[in-house]
Amino acid sequence: MTASASPPPRAFVLGNFVQACCWQVARLPAPGETLQAHGFHKEAGGKGLNVAVGLQRLGARVQTLIGCGQDAAADELLALLATEGVDATHVHRLPGPSGWGAGLIGADGHNTIAVYPGANGLLTAAHAEAARSAIEAAALVYGQFETALPAVQVAFEIAHRQGVPTVLNPSPWQAPPAALRSATHTLIVNELEAAGLLDAPALLTLAVADIARAVRQRQQALAIAWPALRRLVVTLGARGALGAERGDDGGWRLVHVPAPAVDALDTVGAGDGFACGYVTAVLAGQALGTALVWGNLCGAHVAARRGVLDALPFAAQLEGLLAGPWPPPEKLTF
């Protein structure tokens, strides 16, 4: 990353907000079992909010569309966005409570999470339409499925028609409608989501090279189902990330970037950290392999720390991570 006299790129994030409450436990409980927690942490959360704040910290000018409630949690959200410098023009206070989330985090860093969407589910296509000018002026639009699907779909359609790149993290996984698939340029999925996307349940047990082969074998069907898709990124946790890029000739090239070694304390939000690093690299004009490196570094930075918002890196921290040793991209050929 180098300093530039030009203004930073603008990202529009289809956000969501949950007041996240996390308990640290020695291990995740079995069904019906009650365990005593040894730690507790509360912070503003939500996949879209995490990415909006993370991108802003890494140098993008961010606008976000979020639905929050008529409660104290929403007051805290607006104060946070103001502190971070995120444009809250399209944050809407809607009837009822804001979203809430509960997470259990084991000593090994693994977690289980439940989320009540609250006001996030009240966003509509009209809210996205009202943000048309901001979407059309963006350098990139990012969305995920903790935001109401109609708002995500309309925002992506607006961006696609304007030629603005769109990046979708379809989490929590659900089969997207055809209109959204036709307006999505990049997909970021984890292994579980990739198994649903590729209709390949065995994917979770495969080695990286075999996952790449599964992507290659399904590339034609993927191109038909997702006609605007140019990139597929599969995050693999401690194994790094796999990227597939579709060329003008319709062929796909694949690259794998191993993850940096890290002692994971809390994997909640690591995927959002990855998305922040990846999107920042894309906004900077970096190639796919480099974008995967930036994503891995930011994801590992989050996983090595407790919480999410406090763990999301700033631009100077990413500079430091890039200066250190990190695993290089590996091109995969078959």
Side-chain angles (χ1 to χ4, degrees):
M1 289 165 50
T2 58
S4 172
S6 60
R10 175 180 296 168
F12 190 91
V13 175
L14 278 302
N16 68 297
F17 165 62
V18 295
Q19 188 68 278
C21 299
C22 294
W23 291 262
Q24 282 80 46
V25 292
R27 58 176 175 79
L28 299 183
E33 182 182 17
T34 299
L35 294 179
Q36 181 171 309
H38 59 265
F40 173 77
H41 179 72
K42 185 183 80 169
E43 67 176 355
K47 298 183 70 64
L49 175 63
N50 293 338
V51 172
V53 170
L55 289 176
Q56 184 76 27
R57 289 183 181 178
L58 291 175
R61 291 178 298 152
V62 177
Q63 287 188 304
T64 185
L65 172 62
I66 293 179
C68 58
Q70 302 288 336
D71 52 17
D75 296 335
E76 294 179 19
L77 167 66
L78 293 171
L80 169 68
L81 294 176
T83 298
E84 296 288 344
V86 176
D87 188 327
T89 301
H90 298 288
V91 174
H92 300 276
R93 301 196 71 157
L94 303 169
S98 297
W100 286 83
L104 297 178
I105 305 167
D108 59 0
H110 291 97
N111 63 80
T112 182
I113 301 172
V115 176
Y116 171 69
N120 296 292
L122 301 180
L123 286 177
T124 67
H127 291 114
E129 184 62 43
R132 172 180 289 273
S133 60
I135 294 169
E136 292 179 338
L140 181 145
V141 172
Y142 176 90
Q144 38 68 51
F145 282 173
E146 288 182 1
T147 301
L149 188 57
V152 177
Q153 178 175 313
V154 168
F156 270 46
E157 289 174 331
I158 292 171
H160 178 63
R161 286 194 293 269
Q162 190 68 16
V164 177
T166 56
V167 177
L168 178 65
N169 174 211
S171 177
W173 170 256
Q174 61 177 295
L180 181 56
R181 297 198 307 271
S182 296
T184 298
H185 305 148
T186 296
L187 276 172
I188 301 178
V189 294
N190 62 23
E191 291 171 275
L192 182 62
E193 293 150 2
L197 173 71
L198 301 172
D199 192 22
L203 204 69
L204 298 173
T205 65
L206 299 180
V208 173
D210 293 325
I211 294 175
R213 288 189 181 92
V215 172
R216 178 76 77 187
Q217 291 167 0
R218 291 161 176 80
Q219 61 186 9
Q220 185 174 1
L222 197 61
I224 293 173
W226 299 77
L229 193 67
R230 290 297 176 266
R231 284 184 176 180
L232 169 64
V233 175
V234 183
T235 58
L236 303 170
R239 297 190 292 170
L242 173 70
E245 187 168 46
R246 185 182 182 187
D248 293 336
D249 60 356
W252 293 72
R253 72 178 187 91
L254 291 96
V255 60
H256 170 244
V257 177
V262 63
D263 292 326
L265 293 179
D266 182 356
T267 58
V268 175
D272 298 335
F274 176 94
C276 293
Y278 174 87
V279 169
T280 297
V282 171
L283 290 170
Q286 300 291 339
L288 174 60
T290 302
L292 297 181
V293 169
W294 290 27
N296 280 346
L297 291 173
C298 290
H301 188 275
V302 172
R305 291 158 177 80
R306 297 290 186 192
V308 181
L309 281 181
D310 289 345
L312 290 170
F314 290 82
Q317 291 173 306
L318 177 55
E319 290 273 11
L321 294 171
L322 290 169
W326 39 264
E330 303 170 345
K331 291 185 179 179
L332 301 176
T333 57
F334 302 98

